[in-house]
Coordinates of all heavy atoms in Angstrom, one line a residue:
V8 N -4.0 -0.3 -0.8 CA -3.8 -1.7 -0.5 C -3.0 -1.9 0.8 O -1.9 -1.4 0.7 CB -3.1 -2.4 -1.8 CG1 -3.1 -3.9 -1.3 CG2 -4.0 -2.3 -3.0
S9 N -3.6 -2.5 1.7 CA -2.9 -2.8 2.9 C -2.8 -4.3 3.1 O -3.7 -5.1 2.9 CB -3.6 -2.1 4.2 OG -3.5 -0.7 4.1
A10 N -1.8 -4.7 3.9 CA -1.7 -6.1 4.3 C -0.5 -6.3 5.2 O 0.3 -5.6 5.2 CB -1.4 -6.9 3.0
P11 N -0.5 -7.3 6.1 CA 0.6 -7.7 6.9 C 1.8 -7.8 5.8 O 1.6 -8.4 4.8 CB 0.3 -8.9 7.5 CG -1.3 -9.0 7.6 CD -1.7 -8.3 6.3
S12 N 2.9 -7.3 6.3 CA 4.1 -7.5 5.4 C 4.3 -8.9 4.9 O 4.4 -9.8 6.0 CB 5.3 -6.9 6.3 OG 6.5 -7.0 5.5
G13 N 4.8 -9.2 3.8 CA 5.0 -10.5 3.4 C 3.8 -11.3 2.8 O 3.9 -12.3 2.2
T14 N 2.6 -10.5 2.8 CA 1.2 -11.3 2.2 C 1.3 -11.3 0.6 O 0.8 -12.1 0.2 CB 0.2 -10.4 2.6 OG1 0.0 -10.4 4.1 CG2 -1.2 -11.0 2.2
G15 N 2.0 -10.4 0.0 CA 2.1 -10.2 -1.4 C 1.7 -9.1 -2.0 O 1.4 -9.0 -3.2
K16 N 1.6 -8.0 -1.2 CA 1.2 -6.7 -1.7 C 2.1 -6.2 -2.9 O 1.4 -5.8 -3.9 CB 1.3 -5.6 -0.5 CG 0.1 -5.0 -0.1 CD 0.4 -4.1 1.1 CE 1.6 -4.6 1.9 NZ 2.1 -3.6 2.9
S17 N 3.4 -6.2 -2.7 CA 4.1 -5.7 -3.8 C 3.9 -6.6 -5.1 O 4.0 -6.0 -6.3 CB 5.6 -5.8 -3.4 OG 5.8 -5.2 -2.2
T18 N 3.8 -7.9 -4.9 CA 3.6 -8.8 -6.0 C 2.4 -8.5 -6.7 O 2.3 -8.2 -8.0 CB 3.6 -10.2 -5.6 OG1 4.7 -10.6 -4.8 CG2 3.5 -11.2 -6.6
L19 N 1.2 -8.2 -6.0 CA 0.1 -7.9 -6.7 C -0.1 -6.6 -7.3 O -0.7 -6.4 -8.4 CB -1.2 -8.2 -5.7 CG -1.5 -9.9 -5.4 CD1 -2.2 -10.0 -4.1 CD2 -2.2 -10.3 -6.7
C20 N 0.4 -5.6 -6.4 CA 0.4 -4.3 -7.0 C 1.3 -4.1 -8.1 O 0.8 -3.4 -9.2 CB 0.8 -3.3 -5.9 SG -0.2 -3.1 -4.5
G21 N 2.4 -4.8 -8.4 CA 3.2 -4.7 -9.4 C 2.5 -5.2 -10.7 O 2.6 -4.7 -11.7
R43 N 16.6 -2.2 1.0 CA 16.8 -3.6 1.1 C 17.2 -4.2 -0.2 O 16.7 -3.7 -1.2 CB 15.4 -4.2 1.4 CG 15.3 -5.1 2.7 CD 13.9 -5.4 3.2 NE 12.7 -5.3 2.2 CZ 11.5 -5.1 2.7 NH1 11.3 -4.8 3.9 NH2 10.5 -5.1 1.8
Y52 N 11.1 3.4 -3.0 CA 10.9 4.6 -2.0 C 11.8 5.7 -2.4 O 12.8 5.4 -3.0 CB 11.3 4.1 -0.7 CG 10.3 3.1 0.0 CD1 10.5 1.8 0.1 CD2 9.1 3.6 0.6 CE1 9.7 0.9 0.7 CE2 8.2 2.6 1.2 CZ 8.5 1.3 1.3 OH 7.7 0.4 1.8
D100 N 0.5 1.5 -1.6 CA 0.8 0.3 -0.8 C 1.2 0.8 0.7 O 2.5 1.0 0.8 CB 1.9 -0.5 -1.5 CG 2.6 -1.5 -0.8 OD1 2.4 -1.7 0.5 OD2 3.4 -2.4 -1.4
L122 N -5.4 -7.1 1.9 CA -5.0 -8.4 1.4 C -4.7 -9.3 2.7 O -3.9 -8.9 3.6 CB -3.7 -8.3 0.7 CG -3.7 -7.8 -0.8 CD1 -2.4 -7.9 -1.3 CD2 -4.7 -8.6 -1.6
P125 N -3.2 -16.6 3.6 CA -4.1 -17.7 3.7 C -4.0 -18.1 5.2 O -4.9 -18.7 5.7 CB -3.6 -18.8 2.9 CG -2.5 -18.0 2.0 CD -2.3 -16.8 2.6
E129 N 1.7 -19.6 6.7 CA 2.1 -19.2 5.5 C 2.7 -17.9 5.3 O 3.7 -17.6 4.5 CB 0.8 -19.3 4.4 CG 1.1 -18.9 3.0 CD 2.1 -19.7 2.2 OE1 2.7 -20.8 2.7 OE2 2.5 -19.3 1.3
L130 N 2.1 -16.8 6.1 CA 2.7 -15.6 6.2 C 4.2 -15.6 6.5 O 5.2 -15.1 5.9 CB 2.0 -14.6 7.1 CG 2.5 -13.1 7.1 CD1 2.3 -12.4 5.7 CD2 1.8 -12.4 8.3
R132 N 6.2 -18.2 6.4 CA 6.9 -18.9 5.4 C 7.3 -17.9 4.3 O 8.4 -17.9 3.7 CB 6.0 -20.0 4.8 CG 6.8 -21.0 4.0 CD 6.0 -22.0 3.2 NE 5.3 -21.2 2.1 CZ 5.9 -20.8 1.0 NH1 7.1 -20.8 0.7 NH2 5.1 -20.0 0.1
R133 N 6.5 -17.1 3.9 CA 6.7 -16.0 2.7 C 7.7 -15.1 3.1 O 8.6 -14.8 2.3 CB 5.4 -15.5 2.3 CG 4.5 -16.3 1.5 CD 3.3 -15.6 0.9 NE 2.3 -16.6 0.5 CZ 1.1 -16.3 0.0 NH1 0.6 -15.1 0.2 NH2 0.2 -17.2 -0.2
L134 N 7.6 -14.6 4.4 CA 8.5 -13.6 4.9 C 9.9 -14.2 4.8 O 11.0 -13.6 4.3 CB 8.3 -13.2 6.3 CG 7.2 -12.0 6.4 CD1 7.1 -11.8 7.9 CD2 7.8 -10.8 5.8
R135 N 10.0 -15.6 5.2 CA 11.4 -16.2 5.3 C 11.9 -16.5 3.9 O 13.0 -16.3 3.4 CB 11.2 -17.5 6.0 CG 11.2 -17.2 7.5 CD 11.3 -18.6 8.3 NE 10.8 -18.2 9.8 CZ 11.4 -17.4 10.6 NH1 12.7 -17.0 10.2 NH2 11.0 -17.3 11.7
A136 N 10.9 -16.8 3.0 CA 11.3 -17.2 1.5 C 11.7 -16.0 0.8 O 12.7 -16.2 -0.1 CB 10.0 -17.9 0.8
R137 N 11.2 -14.8 1.1 CA 11.6 -13.6 0.5 C 13.1 -13.4 0.8 O 13.8 -12.7 0.0 CB 10.7 -12.4 1.0 CG 11.0 -11.3 0.2 CD 9.8 -10.2 0.5 NE 9.9 -9.6 1.9 CZ 9.1 -8.7 2.3 NH1 8.0 -8.3 1.5 NH2 9.2 -8.3 3.5
A138 N 13.5 -13.8 2.0 CA 15.1 -13.7 2.3 C 15.6 -12.2 2.2 O 16.7 -12.1 1.8 CB 15.9 -14.7 1.5
T139 N 14.8 -11.3 2.7 CA 15.2 -9.9 2.6 C 15.5 -9.4 4.1 O 16.0 -8.3 4.3 CB 14.3 -8.9 1.8 OG1 13.0 -9.2 2.4 CG2 14.4 -9.3 0.4
D140 N 15.0 -10.0 5.1 CA 14.8 -9.4 6.4 C 15.6 -10.3 7.5 O 15.4 -11.5 7.4 CB 13.5 -9.2 6.9 CG 12.6 -8.3 6.1 OD1 13.1 -7.1 5.9 OD2 11.7 -8.7 5.5
R148 N 7.6 -8.1 12.4 CA 6.7 -8.0 11.3 C 5.4 -9.2 11.6 O 4.4 -8.9 11.5 CB 7.2 -8.3 10.0 CG 8.0 -7.1 9.6 CD 8.6 -7.4 8.2 NE 9.6 -6.2 7.8 CZ 9.4 -5.4 7.1 NH1 8.3 -5.5 6.2 NH2 10.2 -4.4 6.7
V167 N -8.2 -12.6 -0.1 CA -7.1 -13.7 0.5 C -6.1 -14.0 -0.7 O -6.7 -14.5 -1.7 CB -7.9 -15.0 1.0 CG1 -6.9 -16.0 1.6 CG2 -8.8 -14.6 2.0
N168 N -4.9 -13.8 -0.4 CA -3.9 -14.0 -1.4 C -3.3 -15.6 -1.1 O -2.3 -15.7 -0.6 CB -2.8 -13.0 -1.3 CG -1.7 -13.3 -2.4 OD1 -2.0 -14.1 -3.4 ND2 -0.5 -12.8 -2.2
D169 N -4.3 -16.5 -1.5 CA -3.8 -17.8 -1.5 C -3.2 -18.2 -2.8 O -2.0 -18.2 -3.1 CB -5.0 -18.7 -1.1 CG -4.7 -20.2 -0.7 OD1 -3.5 -20.5 -1.1 OD2 -5.6 -20.9 -0.4
D170 N -4.1 -18.5 -3.8 CA -3.4 -18.7 -5.2 C -3.4 -17.3 -5.8 O -4.4 -16.4 -5.9 CB -4.6 -19.5 -6.0 CG -4.2 -19.6 -7.5 OD1 -3.3 -20.5 -7.7 OD2 -4.6 -18.9 -8.3
L171 N -2.3 -17.1 -6.2 CA -1.9 -15.6 -6.8 C -2.8 -15.2 -8.0 O -3.2 -14.1 -7.9 CB -0.4 -15.5 -7.2 CG 0.2 -14.3 -7.5 CD1 0.2 -13.3 -6.5 CD2 1.7 -14.5 -8.0
D172 N -3.0 -16.1 -8.9 CA -3.8 -15.6 -10.0 C -5.3 -15.5 -9.7 O -5.9 -14.5 -10.2 CB -3.9 -16.9 -11.2 CG -2.4 -16.9 -11.8 OD1 -1.7 -16.0 -11.8 OD2 -2.1 -18.0 -12.3
Q173 N -5.9 -16.1 -8.8 CA -7.2 -16.0 -8.3 C -7.3 -14.6 -7.6 O -8.2 -13.8 -7.7 CB -7.6 -17.0 -7.3 CG -7.9 -18.3 -7.9 CD -9.1 -18.3 -8.8 OE1 -10.0 -17.7 -8.6 NE2 -8.9 -19.0 -10.0
A174 N -6.3 -14.2 -6.6 CA -6.2 -13.0 -5.9 C -6.2 -11.8 -6.8 O -6.9 -10.9 -6.6 CB -5.1 -13.0 -4.8
Y175 N -5.2 -12.0 -7.9 CA -5.2 -11.1 -8.8 C -6.4 -10.6 -9.6 O -6.7 -9.4 -9.9 CB -4.0 -11.2 -9.9 CG -3.9 -10.0 -10.7 CD1 -3.4 -8.8 -10.2 CD2 -4.2 -10.2 -12.2 CE1 -3.5 -7.8 -11.1 CE2 -4.3 -9.1 -13.0 CZ -3.8 -7.7 -12.4 OH -3.8 -6.7 -13.2
Ligands
ADP201 P1 4.6 -7.8 0.7 O1 4.7 -6.7 -0.3 O2 3.1 -7.8 1.2 O3 5.5 -7.6 1.9 P2 5.7 -9.6 -1.3 O4 4.9 -9.2 -2.5 O5 7.2 -9.1 -1.2 O6 4.9 -9.1 0.1 O7 5.6 -11.1 -1.1 C1 6.4 -11.8 -0.2 C2 6.7 -13.2 -0.7 O8 5.6 -13.9 -0.9 C3 7.5 -13.0 -2.1 O9 8.6 -13.9 -2.1 C4 6.5 -13.4 -3.1 O10 7.1 -13.9 -4.3 C5 5.7 -14.5 -2.4 N1 4.2 -14.5 -2.7 C6 3.4 -13.5 -3.0 N2 2.2 -13.9 -3.3 C7 2.2 -15.2 -3.2 C8 1.1 -16.4 -3.4 N3 -0.1 -16.1 -3.7 N4 1.5 -17.6 -3.1 C9 2.9 -17.9 -2.7 N5 3.9 -16.9 -2.6 C10 3.5 -15.7 -2.8

Side-chain angles (χ1 to χ4, degrees):
V8 180
S9 294
S12 182
T14 302
K16 244 180 323 177
S17 317
T18 306
L19 284 162
C20 289
R43 229 168 28 210
Y52 287 104
D100 164 348
L122 282 183
E129 172 63 11
L130 180 66
R132 194 198 67 74
R133 286 184 194 173
L134 275 175
R135 290 186 193 288
R137 188 168 70 179
T139 49
D140 298 302
R148 286 172 189 256
V167 179
N168 182 20
D169 189 349
D170 177 80
L171 187 61
D172 291 336
Q173 291 292 326
Y175 180 66

